[in-house]
Structures are given as structure tokens and as C-alpha cells.
Amino acid sequence: MSERETRLHGSWRLVSMETELQDSKERSQPWGAKPNGHLIFGSDGRMMVLVTAEAREPGNTDERLLGLFRTLMAYTGRYRIDGNRFITKIDSSWNEAWNGSEQERFYKLDGDTLEVSTAWMPNPLVTGNPIGRAVLNFRRE
């Protein structure tokens, strides 16, 4: 196991989540300035992540339940490191379509700060689906 892998081990608290558009470099916070979440890398090769939007209400109606689903991201699986990326083979996810898939994330580790970003792809949160990515910042707990 490489030093890089070992340094990821542990629990990370979400500090921010932004979307960035590729052409303009414009950034926004679709889930608020203080989203909630954690990312955990185990020494056994399993990772888990849970991220929720800042403003959420209890799900006591169909509309609110749908809103909860749309402001949640959670999955777990076995991960491997490849350079500045970690690739997770998903075995359980809030999004059934992800089960069995591999999700690739890029990361930059600086002491107790971890930046995680997705690949550039059409952004479903923005009208017209321009090319963008998510950038999440975590701090070691």
C-alpha cells in the first residue's frame, strides 16, 4: 500500500461543495454555503460518502420526499488509487443506476485538507446541461 493511500485513511468532514462550469470557470453552490457530509476511507479498501444540501425539510409529503432524494448523494464500495484519482466500484448507492459501476474522482491532498472533483461532464443542475464538474472540499476530523 502506498503512502498516498495511507494518507487518505480516516474520516473527512465536508466543508464546501461547488459546481464549476468548464468554459466560464463560474462556480456556484447548488446545495448552499454549508452542505453536510462525510467521506470515510478505510484501511480495508472501502470508502463511504454521504453529502446532503444545507436546507432540507422532513419528508412528510411526496414532494418533500422527492426534494430529499434530489439533495442527497451517498454511496459505498471498494476503492483503488491510480495517481491523483481514486476509483470506487460501487456496491451500494442512493442512485440505483450507480450500483455495479465504477466512479472516478480526482483528488488533491494538502495536510488535513482534501479536494475531490468529478470528471468534466454535462451538468444536470444547470439549464442546457453545460460541461461542468463538482468540487468538494473536506477537512480531516
Side-chain angles (χ1 to χ4, degrees), residues 45 47 49 73 75-82 85-106 117-119 121:
M47 65 78 68
V49 63
M73 189 249 336
Y75 61 89
T76 185
R78 311 283 303 167
Y79 73 93
R80 66 185 186 277
I81 302 295
D82 182 8
R85 306 175 304 151
F86 64 90
I87 300 104
T88 306
K89 172 83 170 162
I90 307 297
D91 55 32
S92 184
S93 173
W94 97 112
N95 180 348
E96 195 62 31
W98 283 23
N99 288 342
S101 74
E102 287 194 340
Q103 293 294 315
E104 173 187 71
R105 301 292 180 262
F106 299 90
S117 59
T118 66
M121 64 185 81

Side-chain angles (χ1 to χ4, degrees), residues 2-135:
S2 73
E3 175 186 345
R4 184 181 299 256
E5 286 179 341
T6 307
R7 293 183 308 152
L8 287 175
H9 292 170
S11 182
W12 300 84
R13 181 182 50 82
L14 183 66
V15 175
S16 67
M17 182 186 107
E18 298 178 319
T19 57
E20 179 182 15
L21 299 180
Q22 189 175 42
D23 289 343
S24 66
K25 302 297 182 211
E26 177 186 343
R27 287 195 175 201
S28 62
Q29 298 174 318
W31 285 4
K34 294 182 180 180
N36 298 304
H38 287 84
L39 171 61
I40 300 169
F41 287 99
S43 59
D44 63 350
R46 174 165 295 280
M47 65 78 68
M48 299 181 80
V49 63
L50 171 71
V51 175
T52 62
E54 178 179 17
R56 290 169 39 105
E57 297 181 15
N60 54 10
T61 67
D62 285 347
E63 185 178 331
R64 284 187 175 178
L65 287 169
L66 180 59
L68 289 173
F69 178 78
R70 289 187 173 163
T71 57
L72 165 72
M73 189 249 336
Y75 61 89
T76 185
R78 311 283 303 167
Y79 73 93
R80 66 185 186 277
I81 302 295
D82 182 8
N84 67 339
R85 306 175 304 151
F86 64 90
I87 300 104
T88 306
K89 172 83 170 162
I90 307 297
D91 55 32
S92 184
S93 173
W94 97 112
N95 180 348
E96 195 62 31
W98 283 23
N99 288 342
S101 74
E102 287 194 340
Q103 293 294 315
E104 173 187 71
R105 301 292 180 262
F106 299 90
Y107 74 93
K108 295 177 189 169
L109 182 59
D110 183 10
D112 288 339
T113 302
L114 174 64
E115 179 184 278
V116 176
S117 59
T118 66
W120 295 103
M121 64 185 81
N123 185 335
L125 300 176
V126 179
T127 304
N129 298 330
I131 302 299
R133 68 178 179 167
V135 180

